[in-house]
Amino acid sequence: MTTRTMSRPIEATMTDPSLGLPTITMATPMPGFPAHREFVLVRLNDDGLLYALTSIDNPELRFLVAPPEPFFPEYAPEIDEAVFAALNTKDPDRVLLLAVITAGQDETTANLLAPIVVDRDSMRAQQVVLTGSGYPVRAIMNRAF
Amino acid sequence: MLVLTRRAGESVMIGDDVVITVLEARGDVIRLGIQAPRDVQVHREEVYRELQEANRAAASPTDDAVDAVARMLKKPDGQP
């Protein structure tokens, strides 16, 4: 597995077909971005904790995402069966959670209310609103590890 | 805006495959049931607006911001 680092421009990484980057298809578009269905997930650091979810339709659109578990150990959302159906999920253990990160001047936050759920087999994804969960849209990220 | 009057148990159809049923009306609270295809997400409006705003704020951070987050999330040396 090739390690990709910050020094490598995302666009250059994306245009290298030999890397075989995973293409993720949104079963429903992310709120606010109805025109973007296809994304690639690009690793941004060696630890594997930070990724860029970059639109194939417009590479200038990207979201920072990270698995929430290392930062929010208590985070254990319940995913509705309807989500698994929309993602063609056969094994719920094969879904990956990614939190959308907002990089701010003073603080960096993670959206725990609406994680992106990715089925690793179908490579379909959906930003899922955990209605009634009480999880915040802007949870301040701390290093919990 | 189309305005319709419905009783509990009655429904409204939007297009061919979205059905909204009034389940119960009690005072100023109305419970709705919504049947929609898998590729149509249904949200409370205020939640959708908040999510839309959060996504827009998160979209396309500058390279400097990405560098800063990457540094912050880096594990200390010596840890797996």
Side-chain angles (χ1 to χ4, degrees):
Chain A
M1 179 80 194
T2 309
T3 302
R4 290 166 215 115
T5 63
M6 289 299 303
S7 57
R8 192 157 187 216
I10 281 173
E11 291 72 19
T13 308
M14 283 180 58
T15 52
D16 184 349
S18 66
L19 291 174
L21 288 169
T23 300
I24 292 172
T25 302
M26 291 290 170
T28 51
M30 289 171 66
F33 297 89
H36 302 272
R37 287 247 181 198
E38 307 262 300
F39 289 83
V40 288
L41 192 60
V42 183
R43 183 190 282 190
L44 290 183
N45 68 0
D46 296 346
D47 296 327
L49 290 177
L50 185 64
Y51 296 84
L53 193 63
T54 304
S55 169
I56 290 178
D57 310 302
N58 177 4
E60 286 183 13
L61 175 68
R62 61 174 172 165
F63 296 94
L64 289 182
V65 295
E69 295 86 356
F71 309 100
F72 304 97
E74 306 295 308
Y75 186 61
E78 284 185 27
I79 308 298
D80 201 90
E81 291 289 328
V83 174
F84 296 136
L87 301 184
N88 300 336
T89 299
K90 294 183 178 66
D91 179 0
D93 288 340
R94 294 279 296 158
V95 300
L96 170 73
L97 284 185
L98 294 170
V100 179
I101 294 172
T102 304
Q105 287 279 351
D106 302 317
E107 61 186 24
T108 294
T109 61
N111 182 346
L112 297 187
L113 176 68
I116 295 175
V117 181
V118 185
D119 181 82
R120 279 182 258 211
D121 297 312
S122 65
M123 293 310 281
R124 285 164 66 82
Q126 194 171 48
Q127 189 173 23
V128 175
V129 181
L130 305 168
T131 308
S133 66
Y135 286 122
V137 172
R138 293 172 197 83
I140 294 171
M141 289 190 87
N142 292 307
R143 288 202 328 203
F145 44 81
Chain B
M1 185 188 290
L2 173 66
V3 178
L4 301 170
T5 302
R6 300 271 68 189
R7 296 179 186 282
E10 293 181 336
S11 299
V12 169
M13 289 211 59
I14 299 176
D16 290 331
D17 42 22
V18 176
V19 184
I20 298 175
T21 305
V22 178
L23 300 175
E24 181 185 279
R26 189 178 291 173
D28 59 358
V29 176
I30 293 157
R31 294 180 68 228
L32 302 174
I34 297 140
Q35 271 188 314
R38 283 174 186 171
D39 60 349
V40 176
Q41 274 191 305
V42 178
H43 300 287
R44 291 175 173 85
E45 181 182 2
E46 64 276 18
V47 173
Y48 180 85
R49 301 269 179 223
E50 186 179 25
L51 188 52
Q52 191 178 41
E53 191 188 312
N55 281 345
R56 285 178 179 160
S60 302
T62 63
D63 288 341
D64 285 351
V66 175
D67 284 344
V69 174
R71 276 198 304 277
M72 189 192 89
L73 301 191
K74 196 165 174 54
K75 286 186 177 180
D77 289 341
Q79 287 207 6

